[in-house]
Amino acid sequence: MENRNLPLAGAAKWLLIFGLLLIANSAYLAAFGDPTLFYVANALLHPVLGIVAAILFLSAQRKLLAGARGVGMGLFLALAAALGVYLLFAGMTRPHSLALYVHVGASVAGLFFLLAVLRRHASN
């Protein structure tokens, strides 16, 4: 029986690492809002992780963007990234809370499509 589980290499491996760090960081930011030093450090780390993950995503696997699922994933993740950059400069204040909610929703939808794309590639 042939082993189809190939090890990740290069940018894909780093994308997985930074992507998981970004998800864990996002979960912490969503769960806690206490004005502690650890929370502020995570809030400042979040854009850095997002920018690194976006750069790695663009350089890792262009074939993931093929097909309807790939296009959906790309659109949602691009919207999430654009709103993340907007929030980085506009600030996360109450007048920008709609942008935050759309940023989170687009991120979750993009991750859903990413899982669908990865499942399709794993079954091939």
Side-chain angles (χ1 to χ4, degrees):
M1 190 170 258
E2 182 180 331
N3 185 4
R4 295 184 348 201
N5 296 330
L6 299 175
L8 294 173
K13 179 174 79 173
W14 288 108
L15 174 61
L16 178 62
I17 292 168
F18 276 94
L20 291 173
L21 285 172
L22 182 60
I23 290 170
N25 174 268
S26 301
Y28 176 80
L29 292 176
F32 302 102
D34 300 331
T36 63
L37 183 60
F38 188 68
Y39 181 86
V40 172
N42 273 285
L44 293 172
L45 179 64
H46 187 77
V48 174
L49 290 173
I51 291 168
V52 170
I55 291 169
L56 289 170
F57 177 78
L58 292 174
S59 65
Q61 300 265 347
R62 297 194 192 279
K63 68 180 179 180
L64 291 178
L65 294 172
R69 293 176 193 156
V71 170
M73 174 191 60
L75 290 175
F76 279 117
L77 292 178
L79 176 62
L83 287 170
V85 170
Y86 169 76
L87 289 168
L88 178 65
F89 290 106
M92 189 44 246
T93 57
R94 190 161 309 278
H96 304 113
S97 60
L98 179 61
L100 172 68
Y101 296 137
V102 176
H103 169 71
V104 171
S107 299
V108 169
L111 288 174
F112 172 78
F113 278 106
L114 176 61
L115 290 174
V117 167
L118 292 176
R119 182 170 184 243
R120 181 186 70 207
H121 282 286
S123 65
N124 289 338

